[in-house]
């Protein structure tokens, strides 16, 4: 089992938003979360990303408790593609894609030549190589989303959360 969620309950402060959710996913599975505004979709994702604490329940990735592994190891397992980006600096598209390797880099070291070559290959596979040297801040919303997907692919995680 790649991802297993057992009896997950959580929310904000004293308010429970997600109550007793369980599911499991294997490699290649896709889970879509649908529901009206305020039903807990984003809260569930934030718990999966360890952005908010659980009130009850457990999350396992490859039989490891999500809340007991280091952030660095978590980045090797889980990749997040946000709906809206928060990149404010005019990094180029290829630089943003190369940031997917950040969890694997040593402190104070930037991407290597090989890391940049891999980022270019990913842009080519996504059919957006023509965006490589354009500032991310100047791209359309759809182009930004594709670049962020490229960054997640470059991270080489087992699970993508979008």
């Amino acid at each position: 089992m790649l991802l297993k969620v057992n009896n997950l309950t959580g929310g904000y402060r004293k308010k429970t938003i997600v109550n007793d959710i369980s599911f499991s996913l294997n490699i290649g599975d896709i889970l879509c979360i649908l529901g009206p505004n305020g039903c807990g979709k984003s809260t569930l994702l934030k718990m999966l990303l360890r952005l908010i604490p659980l009130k009850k329940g457990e999350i396992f990735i490859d039989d490891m408790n999500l809340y007991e592994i280091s952030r660095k190891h978590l980045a090797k397992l889980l990749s997040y593609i946000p709906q809206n980006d928060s990149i404010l600096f005019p990094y180029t598209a290829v630089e943003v894609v190369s940031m997917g390797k950040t969890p694997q880099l040593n402190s104070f070291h930037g991407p290597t030549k090989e890391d940049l070559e891999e980022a270019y290959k990913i842009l080519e596979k996504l059919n957006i190589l023509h965006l490589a040297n354009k500032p991310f801040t100047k791209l359309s919303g759809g182009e930004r989303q594709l670049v962020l997907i490229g960054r997640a692919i470059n991270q080489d995680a087992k699970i993508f959360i979008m």
Side-chain angles (χ1 to χ4, degrees):
M1 199 64 51
L2 179 60
L3 176 67
K4 187 167 184 156
V5 174
N6 294 324
N7 308 106
L8 201 60
T9 298
Y12 304 93
R13 296 183 188 94
K14 294 183 180 183
K15 185 173 182 176
T16 297
I17 306 291
V18 173
N19 192 20
D20 201 27
I21 299 288
S22 296
F23 61 89
S24 59
L25 299 170
N26 288 305
I27 292 175
D29 287 351
I30 296 173
L31 173 68
C32 296
I33 304 169
L34 304 172
N37 291 343
C39 73
K41 301 179 300 288
S42 294
T43 303
L44 174 61
L45 294 180
K46 287 177 183 177
M47 288 189 289
L48 291 172
L49 294 165
R50 279 187 11 187
L51 297 175
I52 60 173
L54 308 178
K55 290 185 179 183
K56 187 182 101 178
E58 300 171 308
I59 304 169
F60 294 95
I61 299 178
D62 281 346
D63 296 322
M64 294 177 285
N65 188 313
L66 183 75
Y67 280 77
E68 294 177 359
I69 58 179
S70 71
R71 285 260 178 219
K72 186 169 185 163
H73 188 67
L74 180 62
K76 294 176 183 177
L77 300 171
L78 201 81
S79 181
Y80 176 55
I81 303 164
Q83 183 175 1
N84 298 308
D85 62 84
S86 59
I87 297 173
L88 302 174
F89 297 100
Y91 296 111
T92 63
V94 74
E95 289 171 328
V96 172
V97 171
S98 72
M99 289 176 191
K101 290 290 184 205
T102 300
Q104 299 163 21
L105 298 176
N106 294 325
S107 299
F108 308 109
H109 290 88
T112 65
K113 180 182 174 187
E114 291 80 17
D115 292 334
L116 287 172
E117 287 172 3
E118 183 64 26
Y120 279 108
K121 287 178 187 175
I122 290 169
L123 288 170
E124 186 173 24
K125 284 180 184 175
L126 291 172
N127 202 27
I128 55 170
L129 185 58
H130 62 283
L131 301 177
N133 296 311
K134 291 188 178 183
F136 183 82
T137 53
K138 301 288 185 194
L139 301 178
S140 72
E143 290 170 334
R144 287 180 184 208
Q145 202 66 33
L146 286 168
V147 170
L148 294 174
I149 290 169
R151 181 180 68 182
I153 291 168
N154 200 20
Q155 189 174 327
D156 203 28
K158 293 182 176 190
I159 299 171
F160 289 8
I161 294 181
M162 299 176 81

